[in-house]
Amino acid sequence: MDHTLQNTHVKLLAFDLLSLTPTPDPATFSRSGKLLSRAEIVGTITSRDHKPSKFIKFTVDDGTGCVPCVLWLNHLTSLYLPRRDPSTVRLIAGVATDFAAKIKIGLVARVRGRIASYRGDVQIMASDVVIERDPNMEVLHWLDCLRLARKRYDVVVNKS
Amino acid sequence: MASSAIKSGALVNLTELHPSSQFYEEGASLRVTGKIGTKENAVIFNEKNKIYYRLQDYAVEAAMAIIADGNAILKIDTQHLRDLSFRVGSIYQFIGELHIQADCEAILQARVGRNVDGLDLNLYRQSLQLLRQFQADRMNNTVT
């Protein structure tokens, strides 16, 4: 398996992301012989379920599929997060809260995060959410996905 | 492929939305883009029923908008949209479900809408074709 894309946010269309193959490692997925763990998608927010201080779940529709996303908001209260400096945790929590406030149905968002599986379905655990105001950004993301697939993601590297 | 309660709106040009099209189906989830009729173009001619509409009157009475792309038009039911005002002459994009009435007229019941003034429509249309080709190629490679 090719690991060279494992630590970058690969730009994928929704139908491509939702077709990724799980691997024995729950943190990685495979696509065309390459291991992926992070992705970037762009699309219209079509649903939103906000539980303050817990999470916000939302879906991103890019015209090829709907990607479920979750942004965790429980940094200050969760017992399961790795131990970190409290000031860092507060900073991360603040950033996540700001992102959550921007997520509104009808807006176009660029979402980056870890690829995860929940109840058998692929989803994104969001780490960055940027609202795209320029209506051409969604189209440019399509073209980025096509170009990167052709030039990088679908290229088979022969190891001699 | 993952399932979702929220269906993705298939990207379709208004010119592709006719009775013989694969997209022209009751309940189909679509994403459409078009310009809200201008005041100068307020009289819309419905070719099927030979009914003339005055855009402004129709929009005010029935929470409907009419968008156009070239000669193709589509009625949009906007009653479920919030925080969206319409400017005649502006370009909007809607995601929603297609409803085909008894008189065979199609209306999109929009659940999401946004102003997309500034969208390069030529780039959009050309990119959509490339996107469809890419999607078809990926599906074929998955099957074989």
Side-chain angles (χ1 to χ4, degrees):
Chain A
M1 276 284 185
D2 183 341
H3 292 252
T4 55
L5 295 175
Q6 194 167 346
N7 291 316
T8 190
H9 291 88
V10 290
K11 295 192 180 190
L12 293 176
L13 294 165
F15 86 96
D16 212 343
L17 177 73
L18 296 172
S19 302
L20 294 179
T21 305
T23 69
D25 178 357
T28 62
F29 295 76
S30 74
R31 180 190 182 283
S32 301
K34 294 178 173 60
L35 287 180
L36 311 178
S37 63
R38 293 176 170 83
E40 177 175 317
I41 59 172
V42 176
T44 304
I45 298 167
T46 53
S47 78
R48 179 180 183 271
D49 178 16
H50 187 198
K51 297 285 190 289
S53 300
K54 291 186 180 177
F55 59 78
I56 179 168
K57 289 184 183 176
F58 56 105
T59 51
V60 173
D61 180 354
D62 70 356
T64 72
C66 273
V67 179
C69 302
V70 60
L71 175 65
W72 292 104
L73 304 172
N74 61 348
H75 308 81
L76 298 178
T77 55
S78 174
L79 300 175
Y80 297 101
L81 292 174
R83 290 185 178 180
R84 280 188 176 179
D85 172 58
S87 61
T88 303
V89 174
R90 281 195 295 273
L91 188 64
I92 295 171
V95 169
T97 302
D98 288 345
F99 286 154
K102 293 175 183 172
I103 295 168
K104 292 178 182 169
I105 292 175
L107 298 182
V108 169
R110 183 180 301 271
V111 180
R112 286 155 60 104
R114 283 187 175 274
I115 307 167
S117 180
Y118 180 67
R119 294 182 178 174
D121 292 340
V122 170
Q123 65 175 13
I124 296 278
M125 287 174 49
S127 56
D128 295 285
V129 180
V130 174
I131 299 301
E132 295 285 3
R133 303 286 179 190
D134 186 333
N136 295 296
M137 293 313 292
E138 202 171 9
V139 175
L140 293 177
H141 178 77
W142 298 347
L143 296 176
D144 272 345
C145 292
L146 269 55
R147 178 179 55 84
L148 286 165
R150 189 183 313 123
K151 293 202 178 287
R152 184 67 180 89
Y153 305 158
D154 293 343
V155 172
V156 176
V157 177
N158 290 318
K159 291 186 178 178
S160 56
Chain B
M1 189 77 72
S3 63
S4 170
I6 304 289
K7 288 191 176 176
S8 172
L11 295 153
V12 59
N13 295 313
L14 290 188
T15 52
E16 297 170 320
L17 211 54
H18 46 77
S20 57
S21 159
Q22 59 173 323
F23 301 109
Y24 199 87
E25 195 177 283
E26 172 65 28
S29 294
L30 303 175
R31 183 195 296 211
V32 296
T33 306
K35 186 179 287 190
I36 298 283
T38 60
K39 287 182 182 177
E40 290 75 28
N41 192 24
V43 178
I44 306 294
F45 175 53
N46 181 309
E47 291 182 355
K48 203 163 185 70
N49 297 328
K50 298 193 191 309
I51 296 171
Y52 289 82
Y53 298 106
R54 284 206 175 269
L55 174 65
Q56 288 160 298
D57 293 342
Y58 193 77
V60 169
E61 288 174 10
M64 290 268 188
I66 297 178
I67 58 171
D69 181 4
N71 292 327
I73 62 169
L74 180 67
K75 282 189 210 167
I76 310 291
D77 182 343
T78 62
Q79 63 176 310
H80 296 302
L81 300 181
R82 298 287 177 265
D83 301 325
L84 185 64
S85 58
F86 296 105
R87 277 201 304 267
V88 173
S90 283
I91 307 172
Y92 288 81
Q93 193 169 75
F94 299 98
I95 299 175
E97 280 62 47
L98 196 68
H99 291 288
I100 301 166
Q101 297 181 310
D103 59 359
C104 297
E105 188 172 42
I107 295 174
L108 187 83
Q109 187 162 350
R111 45 185 165 87
V112 171
R114 65 179 181 130
N115 182 305
V116 291
D117 280 342
L119 178 66
D120 183 333
L121 286 170
N122 284 333
L123 178 67
Y124 175 82
R125 291 188 194 105
Q126 288 179 48
S127 300
L128 179 53
Q129 297 310 314
L130 292 173
L131 184 67
R132 286 174 175 169
Q133 186 59 55
F134 176 78
Q135 214 169 341
D137 290 345
R138 283 288 297 175
M139 297 296 193
N140 289 338
N141 288 340
T142 304
V143 169
T144 55

